[in-house]
Amino acid sequence: MDDDYWGENEKKKKDARNFFDEEEFPVGVKNESEEIDFDRRDVVGRLDDDGFMFDWKRSASEAQSARVTVKRRETKPVEKPAAKSARDLEKQVKSLQTQLDEADRSRFKALSIEDTLRRMLLGEPYCLEFYKSLEQKLDLLAKAIEYGDGNCIVAVLLFLKRTLAYKLFFSALITHADAENHYLAYLKQRGDLGLEELEKTYNRLARPEDEWMMKYEQCKEIGSVKSQLWHLKDCQRTLTEPEFKPVAFVYGEMAKEHVELLGRQIEIDKKDDELARRGTYHLFNSHPRKSLLASQPLMTTLFYCSFYHWEAGEDSIKSPVKLKADFKLSEKQYLYAALAARTKRKKWDEVEKLLTTKGWFRTNKWTTAIGMDVVVDILYRYSATRDVIEKYVKIIDDLELRFKMAAKVKSYGVAVDTLISLRDRNQLLKFRENVPPVQRAVHEKIERSLTDPSVRWK
């Protein structure tokens, strides 16, 4: 029994837990870096039959609410700012209040011109209303022009226009040419919204030429041809006013011819519409008109009359010859349009008449004011037959130019003959590569010429 007793006592001793060797604290604090100290009064002992034992339950519960001191790792202490005195705090409050009052007053105070323009350039908020005096406003405009930014210049000009009398505003414009140009460009960009103001500006700036040209361009934009003709006549009458005399010297003849041309076009359209309705004019049936003649250029009108009314008498408003005489067209202008029209009609006899004159002994002589190479180009463009094109290519006197035009219009036979005449063997060999295989006769001619001993190549 003694052995059992002492054995049981040893077992109880083994079961007795040493608090200071425990890794997990009964108070629930778990941290390897923490050290826990208990006052001895927190641990109550009791005397048992086995001797003195710790009362763990009491010590653990009381340790949670009593005097458990947790010492953590030592960290660098945070230095607390020294407490300021009431006088220092009062000074700081006064300083902040002064800054706030200054910022509030600056909202209603004009910045320097340089700062304002810098804000405008950077896209920051700005206000021009603080500049009240005329001197300030003119300085602002001068500085904006010096910076050279068009948006800034226009913004300042619009501010001046809104806040200055018209006389002072236009005086500033006249004084600064760059500002004047920027303002006019701004009004033009506004389109119809700025036309009235643009006309007034031209008038106030004493720019009659620009004012008249603006009216003239407006007339050309009118859709109705009859209304357009009326406004053009009114624009022509404007040139008789004293302030427009310098403009009339330059543009008077142009305005007169424009009015005459539009009036003639309207009359031709009226008569041709009647012929088309009747169906009596065969050319309108075989070649219907694509559009009305009114408002077309002069050269288009000449082509139209040469195509549809070639046989009209010289006293008719439809006559190409009368059109040439009335509008003082040059021989080159007349020949170019007439040749294109007759080529499109496939009238080869009339084409030849345009290009020949009677020489001595009543013989025909080839002559043209536009050059025979241009004639060939027109014939090729308006789909003349191959024989006709080759006929006129051969008439070109300059052999180099003849070869160039023959190659352009794909007249291979004439091109080969020209190279043989030039005795240019290398060029002929190069040209042979461009001749299509189907042109067998041309290839045979090239081979014969290359082996012909009578041809003295360069």
Side-chain angles (χ1 to χ4, degrees):
M1 182 173 179
D2 294 334
D3 293 336
D4 292 338
Y5 174 80
W6 292 110
E8 184 179 352
N9 189 32
E10 289 293 323
K11 184 178 180 182
K12 289 180 179 180
K13 289 181 179 179
K14 289 181 179 179
D15 291 337
R17 303 174 69 182
N18 189 342
F19 179 84
F20 298 102
D21 294 335
E22 185 65 22
E23 295 182 359
E24 295 183 4
F25 305 136
V27 292
V29 180
K30 183 179 180 182
N31 194 324
E32 295 177 357
S33 62
E34 296 175 352
E35 181 182 350
I36 303 176
D37 292 340
F38 290 89
D39 193 299
R40 291 182 180 273
R41 289 173 297 178
D42 295 330
V43 182
V44 181
R46 64 183 175 85
L47 186 62
D48 201 355
D49 294 337
D50 299 328
F52 185 83
M53 296 291 292
F54 290 116
D55 190 349
W56 296 108
K57 294 182 179 179
R58 183 174 181 276
S59 61
S61 61
E62 291 181 359
Q64 294 181 16
S65 59
R67 295 177 300 167
V68 178
T69 304
V70 179
K71 297 181 179 179
R72 300 185 181 276
R73 279 184 186 174
E74 293 185 1
T75 57
K76 187 176 180 180
V78 179
E79 295 182 0
K80 296 183 179 180
K84 295 184 178 180
S85 63
R87 182 175 297 178
D88 292 337
L89 292 175
E90 185 178 356
K91 289 182 180 180
Q92 187 175 6
V93 169
K94 287 183 178 180
S95 176
L96 293 174
Q97 185 63 42
T98 302
Q99 295 179 18
L100 181 61
D101 293 342
E102 183 65 25
D104 190 57
R105 285 194 299 269
S106 65
R107 293 166 49 202
F108 307 101
K109 182 179 177 181
L111 298 174
S112 66
I113 292 177
E114 290 77 7
D115 288 341
T116 299
L117 289 174
R118 179 186 61 80
R119 285 175 172 269
M120 295 172 71
L121 289 171
L122 297 177
E124 297 177 357
Y126 65 91
C127 182
L128 302 179
E129 303 297 335
F130 295 122
Y131 303 101
K132 302 294 185 181
S133 68
L134 177 61
E135 182 180 359
Q136 286 180 320
K137 294 175 182 179
L138 294 181
D139 289 344
L140 183 63
L141 177 60
K143 205 66 178 179
I145 295 173
E146 181 182 335
Y147 281 19
D149 185 81
N151 292 330
C152 290
I153 295 173
V154 172
V156 171
L157 285 173
L158 294 178
F159 167 66
L160 265 60
K161 178 187 174 184
R162 189 174 67 254
T163 57
L164 290 178
Y166 247 51
K167 184 178 180 180
L168 294 175
F169 172 68
F170 282 104
S171 177
L173 278 183
I174 295 173
T175 307
H176 301 87
D178 290 338
E180 179 180 327
N181 293 331
H182 277 288
Y183 184 66
L184 292 174
Y186 162 76
L187 293 178
K188 290 177 183 177
Q189 288 179 352
R190 294 191 65 194
D192 294 340
L193 297 176
L195 287 178
E196 184 178 354
E197 181 64 25
L198 184 61
E199 183 178 351
K200 292 180 181 178
T201 304
Y202 281 140
N203 187 269
R204 295 296 294 267
L205 295 176
R207 298 178 64 161
E209 182 175 347
D210 293 325
E211 182 181 355
W212 186 85
M213 285 301 299
M214 186 197 71
K215 291 181 179 180
Y216 177 70
E217 293 296 330
Q218 288 177 348
C219 292
K220 294 195 297 183
E221 297 297 326
I222 298 175
S224 172
V225 290
K226 291 184 178 180
S227 179
Q228 183 182 133
L229 180 60
W230 186 90
H231 283 86
L232 282 173
K233 289 180 179 179
D234 183 66
C235 196
Q236 184 184 6
R237 285 192 296 268
T238 304
L239 293 176
T240 60
E241 298 177 7
E243 61 269 26
F244 290 99
K245 281 187 178 180
V247 183
F249 181 77
V250 180
Y251 298 106
E253 190 65 23
M254 179 195 71
K256 177 184 175 184
E257 290 183 354
H258 194 169
V259 170
E260 291 180 358
L261 177 63
L262 183 58
R264 179 174 297 194
Q265 290 172 337
I266 293 174
E267 189 66 23
I268 292 174
D269 279 336
K270 181 180 178 181
K271 293 182 178 182
D272 286 353
D273 286 342
E274 184 65 24
L275 289 175
R277 280 196 299 269
R278 293 178 182 176
T280 56
Y281 193 47
H282 69 282
L283 198 54
F284 286 157
N285 297 326
S286 59
H287 297 83
R289 296 177 299 166
K290 295 181 179 179
S291 64
L292 294 176
L293 187 59
S295 297
Q296 296 294 332
L298 177 58
M299 292 300 294
T300 303
T301 305
L302 180 58
F303 178 89
Y304 178 93
C305 293
S306 299
F307 188 89
Y308 288 107
H309 306 293
W310 182 256
E311 296 83 6
E314 293 186 7
D315 58 341
S316 172
I317 62 172
K318 302 179 182 181
S319 170
V321 177
K322 182 174 176 58
L323 196 67
K324 174 189 174 184
D326 291 345
F327 291 93
K328 302 178 179 61
L329 295 175
S330 66
E331 187 64 26
K332 288 184 179 180
Q333 291 173 316
Y334 174 75
L335 185 59
Y336 193 96
L339 185 63
R342 303 324 290 167
T343 300
K344 193 171 183 179
R345 286 284 310 275
K346 313 296 182 184
K347 300 294 183 178
W348 309 127
D349 293 340
E350 294 171 359
V351 168
E352 185 172 344
K353 288 180 181 179
L354 287 171
L355 301 174
T356 56
T357 57
K358 291 292 182 179
W360 297 99
F361 308 109
R362 298 181 179 275
T363 58
N364 290 333
K365 179 182 178 181
W366 295 108
T367 179
T368 173
I370 60 177
M372 198 57 69
D373 56 319
V374 179
V375 172
V376 172
D377 188 65
I378 293 173
L379 294 171
Y380 181 71
R381 188 185 307 171
Y382 287 94
S383 304
T385 62
R386 179 63 51 189
D387 294 341
V388 173
I389 293 176
E390 290 186 355
K391 172 183 176 180
Y392 289 98
V393 170
K394 293 177 181 178
I395 298 174
I396 300 176
D397 294 330
D398 188 299
L399 294 180
E400 294 285 352
L401 184 57
R402 183 192 302 176
F403 168 72
K404 179 181 177 181
M405 294 305 301
K408 179 179 179 180
V409 300
K410 300 180 181 180
S411 183
Y412 301 111
V414 177
V416 171
D417 292 339
T418 305
L419 289 176
I420 294 173
S421 301
L422 290 170
R423 297 180 299 160
D424 193 340
R425 181 186 179 89
N426 293 332
Q427 186 65 33
L428 181 61
L429 291 173
K430 292 180 181 178
F431 182 72
R432 180 175 60 178
E433 298 176 359
N434 298 328
V435 179
V438 295
Q439 299 287 337
R440 295 181 179 178
V442 177
H443 280 283
E444 292 175 359
K445 182 185 290 188
I446 294 173
E447 296 300 328
R448 287 196 305 269
S449 63
L450 291 173
T451 57
D452 188 356
S454 61
V455 180
R456 297 183 179 181
W457 301 104
K458 293 181 181 179

